[in-house]
């Protein structure tokens, strides 16, 4: 039976080298997102020698985002040598079904984790920024002036959170490009 007309183009697009490049791009975007989120902070000193530092650790949503980034980084780092071998030699290191299933379903789980992490990052940043503005109005209403000095630092913190979420989104999109080219040559045993 002959292959459909666009089949060769699709096979070239989904080559093992494409899978390797997608994993590398994913690692780069996730590394950038991790670095931005881990180093993002807002420091505040008031007149009474109180020091406050806000980081991702202060927010459950950001902790989840960090978990998704680290999990996806570890998973992609584990599979990177296998992707390099496949791109170099044109075949898998092992044809064992268990490994293929691990890679196949692992890619799906990681994609879902990254998608939910991306959503959590954008939603948390938007909500926290909005709620800070509400808190600021309430505190100003009761005469507390300390928020003014901290406001610009917190807005910068949330803006950097948006940047981290954007790179996480790019990492999520690049992880969606994977190689399902399942070398079906061993099915000819019939």
């Amino acid at each position: 039976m002959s292959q459909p007309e666009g089949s060769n183009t699709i096979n070239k697009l989904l080559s093992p080298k494409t899978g390797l490049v997608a994993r590398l791009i994913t690692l780069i975007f996730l590394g950038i997102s991790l670095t931005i989120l881990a180093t993002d902070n807002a420091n505040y000193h008031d007149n009474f020698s109180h020091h406050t530092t806000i980081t991702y650790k202060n927010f459950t949503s950001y902790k989840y985002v960090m978990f998704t980034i680290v999990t996806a980084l570890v998973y992609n780092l584990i599979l990177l040598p296998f992707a390099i071998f496949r791109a170099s030699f044109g075949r898998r290191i092992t044809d064992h079904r268990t490994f293929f299933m691990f890679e196949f379903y692992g890619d799906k789980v990681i994609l879902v984790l990254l998608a939910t992490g991306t959503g959590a990052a954008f939603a948390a940043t938007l909500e926290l920024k909005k709620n800070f503005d509400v808190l600021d109005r309430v505190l100003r209403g009761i005469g507390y002036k300390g928020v003014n000095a901290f406001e610009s630092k917190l807005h910068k913190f949330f803006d950097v959170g948006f940047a981290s979420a954007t790179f996480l989104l790019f990492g999520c999109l690049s992880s969606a490009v994977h190689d399902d080219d399942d070398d079906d040559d061993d099915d000819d045993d019939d």
Side-chain angles (χ1 to χ4, degrees):
M1 187 155 120
S2 67
Q3 292 184 348
E5 214 170 284
S7 166
N8 287 337
T9 305
I10 292 171
N11 286 340
K12 286 179 184 175
L13 285 174
L14 296 177
S15 73
K17 290 180 182 167
T18 304
L20 173 61
V21 170
R23 285 214 191 273
L24 290 172
I25 290 172
T26 299
L27 284 169
I28 291 168
F29 283 136
L30 293 178
I32 292 170
S33 181
L34 175 77
T35 303
I36 291 171
L37 188 60
T39 59
D40 188 16
N41 63 46
N43 293 306
Y44 175 68
H45 303 277
D46 66 10
N47 296 336
F48 304 107
S49 300
H50 293 112
H51 175 75
T52 303
T53 300
I54 304 290
T55 67
Y56 79 91
K57 295 176 185 176
N58 297 103
F59 304 100
T60 305
S61 297
Y62 284 152
K63 287 181 190 177
Y64 176 73
V65 170
M66 184 63 79
F67 165 78
T68 62
I69 294 170
V70 170
T71 303
L73 276 170
V74 168
Y75 174 78
N76 279 288
L77 286 171
I78 288 170
L79 289 181
L80 187 62
F82 298 100
I84 291 170
F85 182 89
R86 187 165 183 213
S88 299
F89 298 105
R91 63 181 176 83
R92 294 182 184 275
I93 243 177
T94 178
D95 287 331
H96 198 274
R97 182 169 170 76
T98 304
F99 179 76
F100 175 73
M101 298 304 280
F102 170 77
E103 183 180 13
F104 179 77
Y105 288 113
D107 283 347
K108 307 300 182 239
V109 168
I110 293 300
L111 182 59
V112 169
L113 274 176
L114 288 174
T116 58
T118 300
F122 280 117
T125 303
L126 186 66
E127 285 297 313
L128 289 168
K129 197 168 186 174
K130 183 176 85 170
N131 288 335
F132 176 76
D133 291 339
V134 171
L135 175 66
D136 184 38
R137 283 194 299 272
V138 169
L139 290 175
R140 285 183 190 184
I142 61 173
Y144 185 73
K145 305 291 186 210
V147 177
N148 294 338
F150 199 40
E151 182 177 9
S152 66
K153 292 178 182 181
L154 273 177
H155 280 292
K156 181 180 176 280
F157 173 80
F158 295 132
D159 290 342
V160 173
F162 271 126
S164 176
T166 302
F167 281 105
L168 180 57
L169 173 64
F170 293 151
C172 179
L173 294 175
S174 65
S175 76
V177 179
H178 56 83
D179 53 334
D180 275 339
D181 182 22
D182 182 21
D183 300 339
D184 290 328
D185 303 283
D186 48 294
D187 290 341
D188 297 335
D189 297 342
D190 298 328

